[in-house]
Amino acid sequence: MLCTTNTTVPTRVRSQTGRPTTCLCRSPVSTSVTCKAAVPFVAIRKQLAVLLAPLLVYSSSCAAAELPLAPPIGSCTDCIGELNGTLNACTLSSTSCVSSQNEDEDHFMAPWQYTSNTEAALNSLIAVATGGDFEPALLQQPFGISRTDAVSFMFKGFQAALTGNRPPEKPKFQRDQSAALAFNGTVAERHTAADGSAEYLHLVFGTSEFVEGRGANMVDAEFLFLKDDNIVDLRASSRMNPTQADGQLSLSLSKGVVYDQNVAQRQLERLRKALQWESVPVITGFDPRFNQDKPLFFEKLYQPFLRGSYKSLPVDEMQ
């Protein structure tokens, strides 16, 4: 133990533990020595180690949070890239993937349609996807009008008809401000197809906000702008499988309420609405709107009580 006094004369004394202690006498003539124990250096190191341990663990975990590897380019099942003017389809086992080349309900997404020329459409897509400003889409209400404004308009109109007063002004269209969050995409590749049939664009979302364990939010999105057309083929896939935290409830025409974990599909749909582009109507066998033998989810509830699908019965038997 190290003790200090007002002089420079060292004195060897015994501490209460029996170990020798070096002290400096307070007075050269004093027979008593008053010592103050100093904290051993080993103990200080141990205390610092305890205090800094959480920081060291945090820093090491941050260093380990590396970005998931980019998918390979080619014609394999998990590949990305443009091949002979087409995009790859998603595998049926993919949880978070959509493509306009798929033919199943869980992975198919219809191509997009734009109204400008190809170069302007490409520039607009890149600008919005990389964080540029955009005008939010109309509210998901009839005609883009909130229900409160619609009810108020009808009530005031009915009141004006009874009293003979001037009719109220029509409600104004409203934008969905909750969908105005900027995108965080980056351009990974852009080129013209070898045969000149299309313009290819590869965007990556989520690299700037990547969180360990939430790799599904890192999405590779591909777009193929067909030559002399206003149609865009597309494909998007997450680099990692989504977790339960990545899912959300959604409504399916054929399945009803489902827990949707297709993060890539939601990302593309939000981007389409931000661009205010349209989905091309595609007749598919799994869509009840185009297939009379495919029942809607609520029709399945009473289907066991029928002799057969009522849609397949002749008109005279249905009456």
Side-chain angles (χ1 to χ4, degrees):
M1 233 175 341
L2 177 63
C3 304
T4 58
T5 64
N6 296 329
T7 67
T8 59
V9 180
T11 304
R12 299 289 292 179
V13 298
R14 287 278 176 179
S15 67
Q16 294 180 355
T17 59
R19 292 179 298 180
T21 303
T22 301
C23 295
L24 298 180
C25 298
R26 292 187 180 278
S27 173
V29 295
S30 175
T31 57
S32 62
V33 179
T34 303
C35 299
K36 181 179 180 181
V39 179
F41 181 69
V42 175
I44 295 177
R45 288 203 308 177
K46 290 182 178 179
Q47 292 177 359
L48 289 176
V50 172
L51 294 175
L52 296 178
L55 298 178
L56 295 175
V57 172
Y58 177 78
S59 61
S60 62
S61 64
C62 291
E66 298 180 356
L67 295 178
L69 295 177
I73 299 175
S75 59
C76 62
T77 55
D78 295 324
C79 288
I80 63 173
E82 165 267 329
L83 186 64
N84 299 326
T86 60
L87 298 175
N88 289 312
C90 301
T91 59
L92 297 181
S93 60
S94 300
T95 308
S96 181
C97 182
V98 287
S99 174
S100 55
Q101 305 300 316
N102 274 77
E103 297 181 355
D104 63 295
E105 180 179 7
D106 294 333
H107 301 95
F108 172 76
M109 176 171 272
W112 295 351
Q113 187 174 23
Y114 55 92
T115 56
S116 62
N117 59 67
T118 300
E119 187 65 23
L122 263 167
N123 293 334
S124 178
L125 173 57
I126 293 174
V128 173
T130 55
D133 296 331
F134 60 90
E135 187 177 25
L138 295 176
L139 286 174
Q140 295 298 312
Q141 305 287 349
F143 311 108
I145 300 173
S146 69
R147 294 178 179 177
T148 303
D149 291 346
V151 171
S152 177
F153 174 74
M154 290 187 292
F155 177 77
K156 291 180 180 179
F158 178 73
Q159 188 179 34
L162 293 178
T163 59
N165 294 330
R166 187 175 180 179
E169 295 183 0
K170 294 182 178 180
K172 296 181 179 179
F173 297 121
Q174 295 185 15
R175 301 286 176 180
D176 186 4
Q177 298 300 328
S178 63
L181 184 66
F183 292 87
N184 57 6
T186 56
V187 177
E189 176 69 21
R190 178 181 177 179
H191 66 259
T192 303
D195 57 2
S197 61
E199 292 290 328
Y200 173 80
L201 177 65
H202 175 203
L203 300 172
V204 182
F205 294 95
T207 55
S208 60
E209 300 176 3
F210 176 73
V211 179
E212 182 74 14
R214 298 294 299 274
N217 293 322
M218 191 170 179
V219 175
D220 290 278
E222 303 172 89
F223 306 90
L224 203 61
F225 289 76
L226 305 181
K227 184 180 180 181
D228 300 327
D229 205 341
N230 61 344
I231 301 297
V232 185
D233 279 332
L234 46 91
R235 183 186 187 275
S237 59
S238 295
R239 291 196 177 182
M240 296 180 65
N241 290 328
T243 63
Q244 289 296 324
D246 296 317
Q248 67 179 28
L249 294 177
S250 63
L251 182 63
S252 169
L253 291 177
S254 60
K255 299 179 181 179
V257 179
V258 296
Y259 191 67
D260 178 26
Q261 291 183 286
N262 202 330
V263 179
Q265 183 183 44
R266 296 201 301 266
Q267 180 74 293
L268 280 193
E269 183 61 18
R270 193 170 79 89
L271 181 59
R272 184 190 66 80
K273 292 179 179 179
L275 293 166
Q276 299 185 27
W277 291 358
E278 298 293 333
S279 291
V280 178
V282 178
I283 298 177
T284 58
F286 58 78
D287 194 335
R289 295 175 299 176
F290 306 114
N291 187 354
Q292 293 186 347
D293 294 327
K294 184 75 172 180
L296 297 168
F297 69 91
F298 57 85
E299 294 175 333
K300 296 179 181 179
L301 299 177
Y302 56 81
Q303 195 173 31
F305 301 99
L306 301 177
R307 292 176 299 172
S309 176
Y310 75 93
K311 293 183 179 182
S312 60
L313 294 177
V315 177
D316 56 349
E317 293 186 25
M318 296 176 60
Q319 295 177 347

